[in-house]
Amino acid sequence: MRWQGRIPRDTSVPQRPSLLFLENPALCLRNPAVPERFRRAPSPRPRWAAPGRGLGPASAPYMRRRPVSRSSLTAPRMLLRAAAPPRALLLGALLWHLAAGSEDPPTAVNITWSSINFKTILQWQPKPSGYFYTVEIHGQTSDVKRKCIQTPETECDVTDALRNVKETYTAHILSVKPAQMDNFEEPPFEVSEKFTPYSQTVIGKPEIKDYSQKGSKLNVVFKDPLTPYIFPNGSFMSIQDIFQHDLEYKLYYWKDQSSGKKDVTTKSHNFEVSVDSGKNYCFYVQAIIPSRRENRNGLESRVLCTSVGRNILDEYGTEVFIILAVIAVAVITLAIVLPVVLCKRKKAKKARAVREKELLNGV
């Protein structure tokens, strides 16, 4: 900014009219030495004029904007016009990228719960490509728990999130794209079927620790399957610790080489049943939960057999007898056929020698 007018030198007017004007604007307005164009009423204080900085409201008549040349505007406009096509292309590319990135990834399908002895694995499909999965476990009364955050896998161990085994849970499988990890928008997800560990987990195989058959008594001792849950002292809980009186075991036993089965039930960890003395028996143990509507029977233990007075036929059955019979028949056949064959070969050799001798004598 610059001064557009100039105050004539006069003894009645101070040599520094600008300072006088700032100190007493009315004096300058009444002074006849000040040109008419400078004696207009002061304009309102500009918004940018701060009080106390030497630019009061009366300074507006002395200040004008510097005229702007056309050349100073032409160059920037030409630059803007030149830069318009690249900027338009950039904007189009950005919009395309946002449109492509706004597509939601596919959600999980075929969500299944797999649980044995309360160790629970959640499985689903498909294999992710360009996105990840996050599992949220929702209980009826418990807080939401997150497991397997941003995993590229299609299964997740959710055992720790299901500690309240009598509660019913659902799993939300979230499909999360890398660009959405820092966003607050909820990603697409799929909800599993309801799952209650207490009524739906499969009971595993009992472990048979010892068995014996003495006379007419068969004794079987077994051990409960363990769960992943731990007591405060660090020992693992068994299924008996969780189910308590809802759990019982059944022993299935039958006479060796027989198809007829018998069974007996107990809530303890050993069986004692009456059997035929001197006969061998086979058996296995299975957990039962009568209060359940589904999955009442657990997995069967391995089959074991007693060995009271067992011989090779009892041990291996009729298969061994058949094999031995075939071997015996082969040996007998060989013993009969081999001498006959050797005798015939000997007679044929003797007859050939006699014929050759006769031919030589005739010559």
Side-chain angles (χ1 to χ4, degrees), residues 34-72:
V34 178
E36 180 65 26
R37 63 177 181 272
F38 296 122
R39 287 191 285 144
R40 292 176 298 191
S43 62
R45 176 186 298 181
R47 294 182 180 178
W48 44 265
R53 298 199 178 185
L55 292 177
S59 61
Y62 292 91
M63 303 179 68
R64 295 181 182 177
R65 287 190 296 176
R66 181 177 298 176
V68 181
S69 63
R70 182 179 300 272
S71 60
S72 62

Side-chain angles (χ1 to χ4, degrees), residues 105-108 111 134 136 138 171-175 186-191:
T107 56
I111 304 174
T134 296
E136 289 184 349
H138 295 250
H172 292 195
I173 312 296
L174 282 64
S175 301
E186 185 177 21
F189 64 91
E190 191 64 36
V191 183

Side-chain angles (χ1 to χ4, degrees), residues 51 53 56 78 107 134 169 178 190 233 246 280 291-292 310:
R53 298 199 178 185
M78 293 177 64
T107 56
T134 296
Y169 299 91
E190 191 64 36
N233 61 3
D246 287 343
N280 296 304
S291 61
R292 283 185 174 184
R310 296 177 69 89

Side-chain angles (χ1 to χ4, degrees), residues 92-209:
L94 179 61
L95 293 176
W96 180 86
H97 178 74
L98 293 176
S102 63
E103 295 180 0
D104 291 335
T107 56
V109 296
N110 299 332
I111 304 174
T112 57
W113 300 88
S114 176
S115 180
I116 298 180
N117 296 332
F118 296 100
K119 182 174 180 61
T120 306
I121 306 296
L122 195 64
Q123 297 174 318
W124 63 88
Q125 293 176 340
K127 194 76 173 176
S129 178
Y131 63 98
F132 302 97
Y133 290 113
T134 296
V135 178
E136 289 184 349
I137 302 299
H138 295 250
Q140 291 178 328
T141 59
S142 59
D143 297 333
V144 177
K145 299 179 179 65
R146 282 197 160 197
K147 301 289 292 182
C148 302
I149 299 174
Q150 299 173 13
T151 177
E153 306 299 329
T154 56
E155 67 176 30
C156 181
D157 188 344
V158 295
T159 304
D160 292 341
L162 311 179
R163 289 186 175 275
N164 186 358
V165 296
K166 293 188 177 182
E167 188 170 4
T168 300
Y169 299 91
T170 57
H172 292 195
I173 312 296
L174 282 64
S175 301
V176 184
K177 298 185 72 174
Q180 296 175 339
M181 292 179 182
D182 297 330
N183 294 347
F184 295 98
E185 297 181 1
E186 185 177 21
F189 64 91
E190 191 64 36
V191 183
S192 71
E193 296 182 354
K194 294 181 179 180
F195 179 75
T196 305
Y198 191 85
S199 60
Q200 292 181 261
T201 191
V202 177
I203 308 304
K205 300 179 180 180
E207 179 185 353
I208 297 176
K209 296 176 61 178

Side-chain angles (χ1 to χ4, degrees), residues 5 52 115 118 171 178 187-188 203 217 239 254 277 295 324:
S115 180
F118 296 100
I203 308 304
K217 295 294 181 180
I239 61 170
W254 60 96
S277 180
N295 296 328
L324 293 177

